[in-house]
């Protein structure tokens, strides 16, 4: 039987509904649970993101963040 990933940290996370739906879809497609999917994404962050696109998207997200909080 394959050994499952040992998760050592738990922390409360606030996510947008769209972000959580996308995480659940990614986890389901990869046959992982949400915690394992997040671990994978952050452990391999540099190889799964395009730096130029990430910077642009982050700027757009940050610009609209205050309006989303209201």
């Amino acid at each position: 039987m394959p050994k499952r990933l040992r998760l050592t940290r738990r922390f409360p996370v606030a996510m947008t509904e769209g972000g959580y739906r996308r995480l659940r879809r990614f986890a389901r497609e990869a046959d992982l649970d949400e915690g394992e999917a997040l671990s994978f994404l952050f452990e391999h962050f540099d190889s799964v993101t395009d730096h130029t696109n990430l910077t642009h998207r982050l700027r757009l997200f940050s610009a609209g963040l205050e309006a989303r909080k209201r």
Side-chain angles (χ1 to χ4, degrees):
M1 176 179 281
K3 185 176 174 185
R4 295 301 285 181
L5 180 66
R6 182 170 170 252
L7 302 177
T8 59
R9 302 281 187 263
R10 293 193 181 273
F11 58 99
V13 177
M15 296 183 76
T16 63
E17 187 61 35
Y20 186 61
R21 278 194 308 266
R22 185 60 186 102
L23 172 64
R24 285 189 356 217
R25 188 173 83 199
F26 170 70
R28 186 174 54 249
E29 290 170 356
D31 195 27
L32 301 170
D33 67 34
E34 287 90 355
E36 293 167 338
L38 278 174
S39 291
F40 169 81
L41 290 172
F42 283 109
E43 286 178 15
H44 303 333
F45 189 78
D46 291 335
S47 64
V48 298
T49 60
D50 175 76
H51 181 71
T52 305
N53 193 26
L54 175 66
T55 304
H56 175 71
R57 291 287 186 170
L58 184 56
R59 244 182 280 132
L60 290 173
F61 182 81
S62 295
L65 196 54
E66 278 306 313
R68 289 176 146 193
K69 289 181 179 179
R70 294 182 203 154

